[in-house]
Amino acid sequence: MSNNLSNLITLGHSTSSPKVTRENLGNKGFILNEMIRELGLPVPPGFVIPVELCQLTLKEGWPEYLNRQIQVKILELEQFTGQTLGDPASPLIVSVRSGAAVSMPGMMDTILNVGLTPALVDSIERMTEDPLFAADTWLRFTSSYAALVLEIDHEALAPLSRSSDSVAGMLHAAENISRYARDNSETGIPGDPLEQIIGAIKAVFRSWESDRAVAFRSKENLSDIGGTAAIIQKMVFGNLDMRSGSGVVFSRDPLTGANKPSGDYVIRGQGEDVVAGGTAVSNLKALGDQNLKIYSELLEIIRTLEHHYRDMCDVEFTVEKGELYILQNRVGRRSAAAAIKIAVDMGTDTDFPLTQLEAARRVSEEQIQEVQKIRGVITDDFPFASGIPASSGVGSGELCLSVERAIQCRKKNRPFVLARQETSPNDIPGIIGAQGLITMLGGMASHAAVVARSWGIPAVTSLEETNLTEDGFMLQSILVPEGTTITVDGSRGEIFLGDLPTTVNEIPLELQTLLDWKTTEGPRGSSEIELFELAASPESTVAVLKIVKLKGMCTSDQISQALLASDTDSTKVISNCEEFLKKVGDYHSLSDVGRELLLTDLSEKQALIPIVDLEQLHQQFLELDSEFKSLVTDWQLTQEKKESDLKELHSRLEIITTEISRGLIQLENIDKTFRRYVPLFEIALDGIRDGDSSMIASPLKDSYHTLWFELHQELIDLSGMSRADLEK
């Protein structure tokens, strides 16, 4: 890796750059970049240290040149924001967050409020005229930096971090932490903001190898992901004043699938208060009551995100002094029942950009089986405790109050329910295998609830009128001790004594609709054309591997759609490609053996095309490429887009399609996979003609721009060049 050119990516970078991939920027960084560049959403400025540098530092240590690259990016951020690290008049404070190629909620570290120093605390107090904000933010920073960057044991920090809600109490606790860190670590909490940032980045990279992250990847079959990116952004403060707050919103109910937003919000809180599950939270009504204008703006943004990403979205946001900022978006994890309802609702909504075939493919056979097995309790008894229903289903087992006891139960094949005051990512080894999960605090958006839903574990959060002690649940004067068998009904948010009998719940009406779609393969529109009858042949194997190479990481469905092949055929071929592909959750990526096979195939194809013909074809493409980029850029920069603008763009893209199709004939004769481009361009054009502007340049579907980029990459490969050669 070069130490002369910066490997760091400023958020808002061109999405057509080969550096801007989900594998390189991580899922969080990739989507943040796209929300700025493509959607113009209010995302705090910043930059990304890509996954490849995490891999490098974990293997070889921290490279000195990276310090210089970070300094350059910080300088750019200072110039953009008008704030400066350590400047008492206008200090730049940042967040440092993790983000792997596949979302791993809460499994790696986040350090907020980085760049604060004791001197700046006094300055911020004077600037904001709010000593409570200054003290609260300083305590938050010292606690997280000591725990995550300096790796000071939680047991040692916990008593030091306790404080009253007074300014004096918070400052005293922060001083105790700082003193302990100074006496019990090599560096203490640095007074240099840049040194703090570098330390936080190192901690984020280290957290990739934490026990919880390793356990999560093992459970999710994500062993082949290469590391995490680090995202550095200007802080926005949800704890600034009573006009501020932080929250998480799901564009649809992740438990039931109902087409209405749901989520958690904390007035005068930071994001970790919501997702860590350690704070009592309110629902989104609290945001509407606080600021109806911001609430309406948020709803409009999540609608935009749903249509752009064509799926339910899980969005983290912060309100600072009445201004809304979007901090993260990812495809929302949901229960099996919600997955079915969401798929059917989206597939039947004529205004939603998802076909019934695509919607049916979203739901796995495992989810269908799970929803058919969801049960409800049979009892006339009242529950002994209730809270927020966070993950549907019923589970019974002995009450465990610690991760260690839960692990022992799992090893002995004894059913167990894990109960915690609040969950941290470190509880993941105890959540794996649980029949139920209970937390005293947190809401629908806490990491515990999100993970429980995706793993089909019944869960109840925010228990009412119940305390958790070292011995068990305390209800007024009655103790339910650890080891007691209890039943968790995650659908109703209720907890009962004993192992209660259950009955199968009513099957959702949407399930039959979905099964009908799966049986008939659903309406396919233009994509009904099948170019390939994939079989167990070298040609079919190469076709599949080429799609995976071009897309970096992709699902089986994406391979089928990109080749316009049947699901059945592509599944058979993919199953025979084990040595050539690596499985990363639901995604495929190339193995080293797969890359070698493609290189061999490329050499054979290059020998079949006269160099002069290839150069002529590439030159023709570059001329059209210049026109195409100009068209797309003009469209993206147009503030008020009219229907006539879209029609004009469609007409010009039709002409480009006709031109490029003539040049592809020779390539199609020697490599059948080139036959996919013209039909897929036409499908994209059909979408644009029908008013779906996402078919112009969305990177998450086979939009015109996505196809154009892939075709260009194939021509570059055939020419024996690289994109860097073209940029010289």
Side-chain angles (χ1 to χ4, degrees):
M1 183 174 296
S2 170
N3 60 12
N4 297 317
L5 300 174
S6 179
N7 306 105
L8 282 51
I9 304 293
T10 300
L11 289 174
H13 197 82
S14 170
T15 53
S16 64
S17 167
K19 293 181 180 179
V20 179
T21 65
R22 202 179 301 272
E23 283 183 302
N24 197 37
L25 300 190
N27 188 63
K28 185 181 297 176
F30 180 80
I31 291 180
L32 285 172
N33 187 76
E34 187 173 64
M35 288 194 295
I36 295 173
R37 181 79 180 191
E38 303 289 343
L39 302 178
L41 297 184
V43 174
F47 60 93
V48 182
I49 303 178
V51 170
E52 58 185 350
L53 283 168
C54 172
Q55 298 168 332
L56 177 72
T57 58
L58 291 178
K59 288 179 181 177
E60 302 178 13
W62 186 266
E64 283 303 313
Y65 68 80
L66 187 51
N67 291 342
R68 296 191 296 275
Q69 292 188 7
I70 292 170
Q71 284 180 298
V72 169
K73 288 298 180 184
I74 289 292
L75 180 59
E76 290 178 7
L77 189 56
E78 289 175 335
Q79 292 170 342
F80 186 85
T81 62
Q83 299 174 324
T84 306
L85 284 183
D87 181 3
S90 184
L92 175 64
I93 310 298
V94 301
S95 62
V96 181
R97 299 189 292 162
S98 61
V102 176
S103 180
M104 296 172 54
M107 295 306 111
M108 291 170 292
D109 289 340
T110 288
I111 303 96
L112 304 179
N113 313 301
V114 184
L116 271 179
T117 64
L120 290 181
V121 173
D122 295 335
S123 299
I124 289 171
E125 179 181 337
R126 288 193 301 272
M127 285 188 294
T128 61
E129 298 181 346
D130 189 342
L132 182 63
F133 165 66
D136 176 49
T137 307
W138 178 235
L139 177 57
R140 288 172 183 269
F141 170 66
T142 55
S143 300
S144 65
Y145 200 92
L148 303 178
V149 181
L150 303 181
E151 300 181 286
I152 295 175
D153 187 68
H154 173 76
E155 299 299 324
L157 285 176
L160 301 174
S161 302
R162 296 191 191 104
S163 74
S164 64
D165 291 334
S166 68
V167 171
M170 291 178 180
L171 292 176
H172 180 67
E175 176 55 34
N176 286 340
I177 293 169
S178 297
R179 184 184 305 111
Y180 187 90
R182 189 166 54 246
D183 295 341
N184 293 274
S185 68
E186 197 171 310
T187 62
I189 298 174
D192 179 359
L194 182 61
E195 191 177 339
Q196 292 178 10
I197 293 171
I198 291 172
I201 294 167
K202 291 178 179 179
V204 164
F205 286 167
R206 272 200 315 271
S207 69
W208 173 254
E209 296 184 329
S210 65
D211 291 342
R212 65 184 185 271
V214 171
F216 182 88
R217 292 198 297 276
S218 175
K219 169 69 175 174
E220 293 269 300
N221 191 27
L222 301 176
S223 58
D224 289 321
I225 301 181
T228 179
I231 300 104
I232 295 85
Q233 288 176 279
K234 176 187 179 300
M235 272 293 298
V236 285
F237 294 97
N239 64 325
L240 183 57
D241 54 28
M242 294 306 291
R243 295 175 296 165
S244 306
S246 295
V248 173
V249 58
F250 300 96
S251 58
R252 305 192 185 213
D253 190 311
L255 188 62
T256 67
N259 188 6
K260 60 180 182 180
S262 66
D264 300 330
Y265 186 66
V266 176
I267 294 175
R268 200 161 192 183
Q270 292 194 345
E272 286 297 290
D273 298 335
V274 181
V275 297
T279 303
V281 298
S282 303
N283 59 30
L284 290 179
K285 182 178 181 297
L287 174 59
D289 293 341
Q290 182 194 45
N291 191 320
L292 186 57
K293 177 177 175 291
I294 290 294
Y295 179 71
S296 300
E297 183 183 346
L298 178 64
L299 295 188
E300 185 60 33
I301 285 174
I302 62 174
R303 182 183 181 281
T304 296
L305 289 170
E306 252 210 1
H307 278 67
H308 184 77
Y309 292 104
R310 305 191 308 148
D311 208 338
M312 172 189 136
C313 292
D314 170 355
V315 182
E316 293 183 22
F317 65 94
T318 285
V319 180
E320 181 187 80
K321 292 195 297 185
E323 293 289 332
L324 176 64
Y325 297 89
I326 305 300
L327 303 184
Q328 177 172 338
N329 175 52
R330 58 191 170 204
V331 172
R333 290 173 177 252
R334 66 209 73 176
S335 69
I340 291 169
K341 178 167 177 54
I342 289 169
V344 172
D345 284 354
M346 288 180 174
T348 53
D349 183 351
T350 55
D351 292 329
F352 197 85
L354 192 72
T355 68
Q356 291 176 6
L357 174 61
E358 289 173 317
R361 288 169 167 170
R362 292 269 176 91
V363 181
S364 68
E365 291 302 320
E366 290 78 9
Q367 288 173 314
I368 292 173
Q369 292 171 14
E370 183 181 327
V371 82
Q372 291 172 328
K373 295 176 182 176
I374 290 178
R375 310 183 75 82
V377 296
I378 303 174
T379 182
D380 293 326
D381 295 340
F382 287 104
F384 76 79
S386 61
I388 295 175
S391 180
S392 56
V394 175
S396 301
E398 68 177 78
L399 175 62
C400 294
L401 303 182
S402 69
V403 171
E404 292 74 21
R405 177 161 179 154
I407 292 172
Q408 288 302 313
C409 284
R410 185 175 73 237
K411 288 180 177 179
K412 295 177 181 178
N413 294 317
R414 294 204 312 260
F416 66 93
V417 173
L418 179 64
R420 305 287 280 161
Q421 181 69 23
E422 59 187 81
T423 60
S424 81
N426 293 326
D427 294 333
I428 285 295
I431 295 174
I432 294 173
Q435 300 301 303
L437 178 65
I438 302 168
T439 67
M440 302 297 107
L441 298 171
M444 286 284 289
S446 67
H447 290 316
V450 169
V451 170
R453 278 192 296 274
S454 66
W455 289 353
I457 300 173
V460 179
T461 63
S462 286
L463 259 63
E464 302 167 355
E465 301 178 359
T466 308
N467 292 316
L468 193 65
T469 69
E470 293 181 355
D471 301 315
F473 285 121
M474 182 65 71
L475 298 89
Q476 297 178 350
S477 59
I478 301 173
L479 176 70
V480 178
E482 185 173 29
T484 302
T485 298
I486 62 173
T487 296
V488 177
D489 185 341
S491 303
R492 296 192 294 181
E494 297 176 336
I495 304 169
F496 301 86
L497 290 173
D499 182 355
L500 297 186
T502 61
T503 182
V504 176
N505 281 342
E506 186 176 341
I507 301 298
L509 294 175
E510 292 84 2
L511 178 57
Q512 189 56 56
T513 300
L514 187 90
L515 293 175
D516 290 343
W517 290 354
K518 281 182 171 288
T519 301
T520 61
E521 284 274 277
R524 296 184 64 165
S526 304
S527 62
E528 204 158 35
I529 308 163
E530 288 194 4
L531 291 184
F532 291 93
E533 294 180 2
L534 293 174
S537 67
E539 183 184 45
S540 294
T541 298
V542 168
V544 167
L545 297 186
K546 280 182 68 175
I547 298 302
V548 176
K549 176 181 181 293
L550 289 167
K551 295 187 179 297
M553 294 176 67
C554 59
T555 64
S556 299
D557 288 345
Q558 289 172 317
I559 294 170
S560 301
Q561 292 163 21
L563 290 172
L564 294 171
S566 73
D567 288 348
T568 302
D569 287 349
S570 61
T571 299
K572 288 178 181 176
V573 174
I574 292 168
S575 66
N576 291 326
C577 289
E578 289 184 358
E579 65 176 315
F580 305 119
L581 295 174
K582 296 186 294 184
K583 198 74 160 49
V584 185
D586 292 332
Y587 291 84
H588 302 284
S589 63
L590 285 179
S591 69
D592 291 340
V593 178
R595 290 190 183 89
E596 290 175 8
L597 179 61
L598 284 184
L599 285 173
T600 301
D601 178 75
L602 180 63
S603 297
E604 294 172 354
K605 299 285 172 55
Q606 286 171 331
L608 298 175
I609 311 173
I611 294 176
V612 65
D613 291 351
L614 191 55
E615 289 178 348
Q616 183 178 355
L617 178 59
H618 196 191
Q619 185 57 41
Q620 178 194 0
F621 180 89
L622 291 177
E623 292 170 3
L624 292 171
D625 183 56
S626 178
E627 180 182 358
F628 172 70
K629 287 180 178 176
S630 176
L631 285 173
V632 174
T633 301
D634 289 347
W635 166 262
Q636 291 173 333
L637 294 177
T638 301
Q639 294 297 319
E640 296 183 9
K641 297 178 173 66
K642 303 174 185 175
E643 185 177 345
S644 58
D645 296 328
L646 191 59
K647 287 183 178 178
E648 174 63 20
L649 177 62
H650 176 267
S651 297
R652 296 181 69 178
L653 289 178
E654 277 189 318
I655 296 170
I656 289 177
T657 304
T658 301
E659 290 293 321
I660 198 62
S661 65
R662 297 190 186 109
L664 287 175
I665 294 173
Q666 186 176 6
L667 293 178
E668 291 171 359
N669 290 332
I670 65 159
D671 187 341
K672 198 164 66 170
T673 58
F674 279 99
R675 291 172 51 198
R676 73 188 187 96
Y677 282 107
V678 172
L680 287 171
F681 279 137
E682 289 173 349
I683 292 171
L685 285 170
D686 288 346
I688 296 169
R689 181 197 60 213
D690 294 339
D692 183 1
S693 60
S694 69
M695 292 305 290
I696 299 170
S698 172
L700 296 185
K701 57 173 73 172
D702 284 330
S703 65
Y704 203 103
H705 184 279
T706 298
L707 296 166
W708 191 264
F709 183 87
E710 291 175 0
L711 174 56
H712 194 187
Q713 186 61 56
E714 291 211 65
L715 291 174
I716 290 170
D717 291 343
L718 277 172
S719 302
M721 303 170 65
S722 69
R723 288 187 177 269
D725 294 329
L726 296 177
E727 293 170 1
K728 289 178 181 177

